[in-house]
Amino acid sequence: MKLGIDVSKWQGTIDWERVKAAGIEFAMLRAGYGAGNIDPQFERSAKECTRLGIPFGVYWFSYAYTPEMARREAEYCAEAVRGYSLAYPAAWDFEYDSVDFALERGVAVTKELASAMAREFCGEIRRRGLYPMLYANPNYLAQYFDGDLPEEVDIWLAKWPRDPDPAVEPELSGGMWQYSSSGQVEGISGRVDLDAAYRDYPAITAGGGNMDGYAAEAEKAREWVMERGISDGERPLDKVTREELWVMLYRMEGDTNDKLAGTLRE
């Protein structure tokens, strides 16, 4: 079990050296919110955590009210962390303000819609080479997300009992528990959320959290499929239909058979 915090601009300018000295072992940083808005403190906090060797992940506060908007939020999140090595997940944060924002625009968020948006965000995060997570409290898990989601994606549970014991993982937690919203940590003025992680996220995300490395590997894969005539390499983030997949597999199989025939002739 590791003890951590999650922070945003509301914690102001953090003295990360004092935070580390206070025994904080990881951090979840708000990368941004809505349609591409970067948290004003994100860059500084990410650089300080990197400099001091504090493992961190990120979260994106959602104002989506369609699955496509949620997918775009995942794109914004992935772009925000490009160049940083994430040792912890990239989480989708859908809360009361998210539901109110949608309602003000004439969209009543149902369980079906919220679940679809969560899957779009987490799916896009996964396609970008990062480890997805869903932030939710017990009420939202029951009211807005279907029962299959905790089996598909890691849950960051928000639940604040009067006397929390972070050494004991709570029911419904998928691996991380936000156990207080009123913590006090050296180096941070005012209150801060406190978290406990029950999985070895640095080991889980090893090799998949560095966006520069992932981008380089993706480019090599793109060149590979183009050289073999399997794909034209265009529209890399678009979804693939079953028919398109059949065609690519057919082309790849043909390429393999041609090479095998040439080897046998030699």
Side-chain angles (χ1 to χ4, degrees), residues 92-253:
W92 192 57
D93 182 3
F94 189 79
E95 300 186 34
Y96 300 101
D97 283 349
S98 313
V99 172
D100 291 343
F101 184 82
L103 194 59
E104 289 169 2
R105 284 148 185 80
V107 178
V109 178
T110 63
K111 179 176 287 191
E112 181 180 20
L113 175 57
S115 298
M117 292 193 295
R119 287 188 170 94
E120 281 295 320
F121 180 93
C122 292
E124 186 63 31
I125 285 295
R126 190 175 286 112
R127 286 190 290 272
R128 297 290 185 122
L130 301 174
Y131 187 88
M133 175 175 268
L134 173 63
Y135 172 91
N137 61 32
N139 175 53
Y140 264 45
L141 280 175
Q143 182 177 353
Y144 286 109
F145 301 113
D146 65 49
D148 291 334
L149 262 174
E151 302 298 323
E152 300 171 16
V153 67
D154 218 337
I155 303 298
W156 177 10
L157 182 69
K159 185 179 180 181
W160 313 324
R162 178 174 297 179
D163 297 306
D165 181 2
V168 180
E169 182 177 359
E171 188 179 357
L172 299 178
S173 169
M176 194 180 297
W177 177 25
Q178 184 189 77
Y179 62 88
S180 176
S181 64
S182 56
Q184 299 288 325
V185 174
E186 288 292 322
I188 299 177
S189 300
R191 301 187 305 174
V192 63
D193 296 335
L194 302 178
D195 301 277
Y198 302 97
R199 295 179 179 171
D200 187 355
Y201 287 109
I204 293 171
T205 61
N210 188 317
M211 287 303 296
D212 283 346
Y214 176 73
E217 188 175 50
E219 183 57 29
K220 289 180 181 178
R222 177 174 176 270
E223 293 172 359
W224 185 86
V225 297
M226 290 173 66
E227 288 172 358
R228 287 157 178 79
I230 298 169
S231 170
D232 61 8
E234 300 298 323
R235 300 175 291 114
L237 299 179
D238 281 7
K239 294 180 180 178
V240 63
T241 66
R242 293 175 66 180
E243 182 180 52
E244 289 170 331
L245 179 60
W246 296 337
V247 171
M248 287 189 285
L249 288 173
Y250 180 79
R251 291 171 178 169
M252 185 172 68
E253 180 70 11

